[in-house]
């Protein structure tokens, strides 16, 4: 049985780039397997990292539904340190357990136009969007947020929402 030429090649060789580091030897079958394995591992890691940091349409929809449910389920406490309805909505979406762990580029903007005389004064409108998806939700929150809250106030929220921009 004759030995092939590749059998004499070491798995690791000194780098040709002037350093004394050892690198995989592509002329050895095991070295080539390690190179390919590392590249596949890196590709899978990059894909999973991207997938865990962005919203899918289903995750986004489920997160908004869960946030609305959670905000309506119990009275919410407003105070000078809470940041109002906008931060409550952001926190509820982030704590829904759906979507990316890093927040994924949420945008919650108050959509009320103070100069719109046809606007319903009994609700505050918030447009909720995420960077990775095209779907936006328009949340109608009542009662309207108090202008300035110096003490703690508990409010029971009623929220309706529609798919689309406000």
């Amino acid at each position: 049985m004759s030995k092939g030429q590749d059998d004499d090649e070491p798995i690791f060789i000194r780098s040709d780039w002037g350093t004394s580091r050892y690198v995989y030897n592509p002329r050895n079958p095991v070295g080539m397997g390690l190179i390919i394995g590392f590249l596949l591992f890196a590709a899978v890691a990059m894909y999973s990292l991207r997938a865990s940091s962005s919203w899918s349409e289903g995750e986004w929809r489920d997160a908004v539904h869960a946030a609305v449910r959670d905000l309506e389920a119990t009275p919410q406490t407003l105070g000078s340190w809470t940041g109002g309805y906008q931060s409550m909505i952001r926190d509820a979406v982030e704590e829904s357990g759906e979507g990316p762990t890093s927040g994924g580029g949420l945008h919650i903007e108050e959509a009320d136009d103070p100069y719109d005389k046809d606007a319903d004064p009994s609700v505050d409108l918030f447009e909720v969007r995420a960077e990775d998806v095209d779907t936006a939700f328009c949340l109608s929150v009542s009662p309207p947020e108090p202008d300035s809250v110096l003490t703690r106030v508990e409010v029971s929220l009623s929220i309706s929402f529609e798919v689309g921009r406000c």
Side-chain angles (χ1 to χ4, degrees):
M1 188 170 211
S2 67
K3 290 174 92 177
Q5 187 177 12
D6 291 339
D7 293 339
D8 296 338
E9 290 285 338
I11 296 173
F12 299 100
I13 57 173
R14 284 198 185 270
S15 173
D16 291 335
W17 292 5
T19 64
S20 60
R21 297 180 333 167
Y22 280 90
V23 295
Y24 298 131
N25 183 359
R27 290 183 298 254
N28 182 297
V30 174
M32 181 57 80
L34 290 171
I35 291 169
I36 292 170
F38 175 76
L39 291 174
L40 288 173
F41 172 77
V44 168
M46 294 300 285
Y47 175 77
S48 65
L49 190 64
R50 168 74 173 121
S52 69
S53 65
S54 61
W55 292 95
S56 70
E57 289 285 340
E59 289 172 335
W60 177 236
R61 182 187 62 250
D62 293 345
V64 172
H65 284 110
V68 168
R69 256 192 330 271
D70 292 346
L71 289 170
E72 287 183 322
T74 59
Q76 303 297 315
T77 303
L78 286 174
S80 59
W81 69 95
T82 60
Y85 288 174
Q86 198 167 3
S87 65
M88 279 184 186
I89 294 168
R90 175 181 302 284
D91 292 345
V93 170
E94 289 176 352
E95 294 168 3
S96 68
E98 300 289 337
T101 56
S102 64
L106 292 176
H107 300 282
I108 291 102
E109 299 170 5
E110 192 163 2
D112 292 330
D113 182 0
Y115 302 108
D116 184 2
K117 60 184 174 205
D118 296 330
D120 186 356
S122 66
V123 298
D124 283 342
L125 296 176
F126 293 91
E127 188 172 284
V128 183
R129 294 179 286 114
E131 287 180 0
D132 305 315
V133 294
D134 294 331
T135 305
F137 290 92
C138 183
L139 277 61
S140 301
V141 182
S142 66
E145 185 174 339
D147 288 334
S148 66
V149 179
L150 299 176
T151 60
R152 292 174 47 158
V153 176
E154 280 196 358
V155 291
S156 293
L157 299 177
S158 175
I159 304 173
S160 63
F161 61 92
E162 297 176 9
V163 175
R165 301 185 74 131
C166 295

